[in-house]
Structures are given as C-alpha cells and as structure tokens.
Amino acid sequence: MSNEVSIATLKQTAGPGVAKAAARKRKKRTSTAIGSSRQPGTFNYAFLVILIVLSAAPLYYAFLLASSNAVHIAQNPIPSLIPQGQFFENIQRVRDSGLDLIGALTNSILVAVITSLSVVFFSTLAGFAFSKLRFRGREGLLTFVIATMAIPAQLGVIPLFMVMAKLGWTDELKAVIIPAMVSAFGVFWMTQYIRDALPYELVESARVDGASLFRVFWSVALPTARPAASMLGLFTFVGSWTNFFWPFIVLGASKPTLPVALQLLQASYFKDYSLIMTGVVIATVPLLLLFFFAGRQLVSGIMQGAVKG
C-alpha cells in the first residue's frame, strides 16, 4: 500500500480545501511521470525514419526505372536518385502496347471490392454464430474451419478449375470472386474479436426485446465488430488486388485483372524494364491511396482490438 494519505482521509481531517489541493498535486505529478516515461526520444525517431526509408526504397526504385528508358537502364543498372522525367511518356507507351489497362484496372476493382465486402459480411456472420450462439458441434466446426488454413491453396487449384469448367465460368470474373467470398482466417479473426468485445448480456437483452437473430447480428454484433471488420476488409482488399496465381489460371488474357495484365505486358516486353516498372507503379498507386485514406481507421482498429474489457 502507498505511504501517502488518501484524499478521503485528508478531507475528513484537514478539510475539503486541503484535499482538493492534494488531489491536484498528485494528478499533476502522475501525469508528468507518465508523460516523461512515454516521451519518444531521438533514437525512436531515427529508428522510425530508417524503417520508412527501407519500406519506401523498393517503390522509389521502381519509380526511377519507370521514369527512364530501356537504353539508359541497360547502361546504368543502378539508376541515379533523380527521376529521368519519362514516366508519363512510358504510361502512354503502356496504353499504346495493346494492353487494356483500364479494363484490367476495372476488373481488379470489381474483384477486390466485392470480395472484401463479402468476406467481411460472411466472416462476421460466422464469427457471431461461433462466438455467441450455442449449438451442437460448435467447437468441432470451428476447429475444422481453422484446420483448413493449413492446407496450401495450390492443392485445390485443379479440382476448383474442373468445377469452374463444368459450370462454364472460366474466363469470367465470378470464377475469381465466388471462391473467395469467405475465408477461414476471416472467420477465425472475427470469432476471436466478437467473443471478447460483445457481452452475452447485449445479445440476450436484444432477444428479450423481440429481435431476431439476424437483427441482433445486424444491429448489435456488426457495429461492435466494426474495428476488426475494417482491418479484415482492408487486408482482404490488398490480398485480392495483388492476387496473381488463381486469376492467371482461370482468366488468362481474356478478362485479366491488373497483376495478370502486368504479366502479359512483361511477356510482350521482356527486357523493357521501364515499361514493366511503369505498370507496377500504376498498380501500386491505388493501394497507396487506399492506405492514405484508410490508415486512421486501420490504426483505430488495431488499438481497439488490442484493448480488452
């Protein structure tokens, strides 16, 4: 126990004025100690700057190559730190190469948005059921869902392609969207979050008030899980945007997404790295804009997810 006299004891013995003064003094001393212990120093800032530089270096190197030309890159494999000023000219060359860049960008946006929304919805719905509903086999089913995360996705490519061929969905965007509408990781993630963040009392009180199970999910569970759902949606969007393996197999060159289109560009201009890197920069810019506008929500989701109780 602390050796300091409590505020209640001071109020009883010395009066309310002395008690208030002691409370203000202790509050000031506590806030000063906390602030001094958490104040970042020069080493912290230097370490963060180094991390930012190392993280941005590959993208800046790609931009340097994208702003140059094939001859200059062949003569100088390590370019200067100053862009050569041919980036917009290379963008026009990408458009003139016969690659449907706008169509590929539209396909990637459709696939990424629909997949992200569906994964968030179905994963949150399953997480609510696994964490707050009592039914037979709940733990066994959840263990089975988690166990599927250990199976490599490459093992299911051949049977999945056979199914898509039987349905006649090859060369269609729905062949990429529908298999990715829910993920085992999303179910596990939302189950763990809702289990800690949503009290049983709220679910029971909503049921007593006459709300259906879906209404409880929509009005109670979904708003509670918004921080974790935002993070899951953002990660799913990035994963869908950069996915190459399955879209390359099932779509080919007919309706490519952006990573597949970049591969086709690389096949046509194998040694023209300025053209290839221009496509890489174009594909990266939407992700940078997404993180720029959704970064605050991402940090908020991480902080709220880390706080229990």
Side-chain angles (χ1 to χ4, degrees), residues 83-111:
Q84 300 299 313
Q86 299 180 4
F87 179 68
F88 294 100
E89 179 182 343
N90 289 332
I91 292 179
Q92 186 62 39
R93 290 178 57 209
V94 172
R95 297 181 60 183
D96 296 339
S97 65
L99 179 67
D100 187 9
L101 190 63
I102 302 300
L105 182 63
T106 303
N107 293 337
S108 290
I109 292 175
L110 286 176
V111 171

Side-chain angles (χ1 to χ4, degrees), residues 18-307:
V18 177
K20 291 181 180 179
R24 287 195 298 266
K25 185 177 180 180
R26 293 180 185 179
K27 184 177 180 181
K28 182 178 179 180
R29 186 170 64 249
T30 303
S31 61
T32 303
I34 294 177
S36 60
S37 62
R38 295 186 179 181
Q39 184 68 26
T42 305
F43 176 78
N44 301 93
Y45 285 113
F47 181 71
L48 291 177
V49 169
I50 293 174
L51 286 181
I52 293 173
V53 171
L54 292 177
S55 301
L59 180 60
Y60 187 68
Y61 180 74
F63 177 73
L64 291 177
L65 295 180
S67 62
S68 184
N69 54 59
V71 177
H72 188 271
I73 293 174
Q75 295 175 352
N76 304 281
I78 301 178
S80 62
L81 298 179
I82 302 176
Q84 300 299 313
Q86 299 180 4
F87 179 68
F88 294 100
E89 179 182 343
N90 289 332
I91 292 179
Q92 186 62 39
R93 290 178 57 209
V94 172
R95 297 181 60 183
D96 296 339
S97 65
L99 179 67
D100 187 9
L101 190 63
I102 302 300
L105 182 63
T106 303
N107 293 337
S108 290
I109 292 175
L110 286 176
V111 171
V113 170
I114 296 176
T115 301
S116 301
L117 293 177
S118 62
V119 166
V120 168
F121 178 77
F122 290 116
S123 297
T124 308
L125 186 62
F128 171 70
F130 280 125
S131 61
K132 296 302 174 183
L133 302 184
R134 298 179 177 88
F135 55 91
R136 182 176 299 177
R138 179 181 65 172
E139 297 299 329
L141 287 175
L142 181 60
T143 303
F144 175 78
V145 170
I146 298 174
T148 59
M149 297 170 58
I151 303 176
Q154 291 80 359
L155 295 180
V157 168
I158 294 178
L160 184 59
F161 183 82
M162 295 173 62
V163 171
M164 295 302 161
K166 287 288 186 180
L167 295 175
W169 288 0
T170 55
D171 297 331
E172 298 290 339
L173 291 180
K174 55 186 175 182
V176 180
I177 295 174
I178 292 180
M181 292 186 70
V182 66
S183 67
F185 171 77
V187 174
F188 170 72
W189 172 264
M190 298 308 300
T191 299
Q192 294 300 113
Y193 185 87
I194 295 176
R195 179 175 294 170
D196 294 332
L198 181 62
Y200 271 108
E201 290 77 10
L202 289 179
V203 178
E204 293 173 354
S205 62
R207 293 290 290 164
V208 169
D209 291 339
S212 62
L213 279 178
F214 186 80
R215 182 59 184 270
V216 174
F217 161 75
W218 187 261
S219 301
V220 179
L222 195 58
T224 303
R226 186 174 60 181
S230 301
M231 290 183 60
L232 178 62
L234 186 60
F235 292 152
T236 305
F237 186 94
V238 174
S240 178
W241 184 271
T242 58
N243 187 20
F244 170 78
F245 183 66
W246 175 242
F248 180 74
I249 294 175
V250 76
L251 296 180
S254 57
K255 293 181 180 179
T257 55
L258 204 52
V260 178
L262 294 181
Q263 174 64 26
L264 299 175
L265 179 66
Q266 183 175 351
S268 300
Y269 300 88
F270 184 74
K271 294 184 179 180
D272 195 345
Y273 292 104
S274 62
L275 210 60
I276 297 171
M277 290 302 163
T278 301
V280 170
V281 172
I282 294 175
T284 309
V285 167
L287 292 181
L288 295 178
L289 294 177
L290 176 64
F291 275 97
F292 178 78
F293 289 106
R296 180 174 298 180
Q297 183 67 32
L298 176 62
V299 174
S300 175
I302 294 175
M303 296 303 295
Q304 294 189 36
V307 177

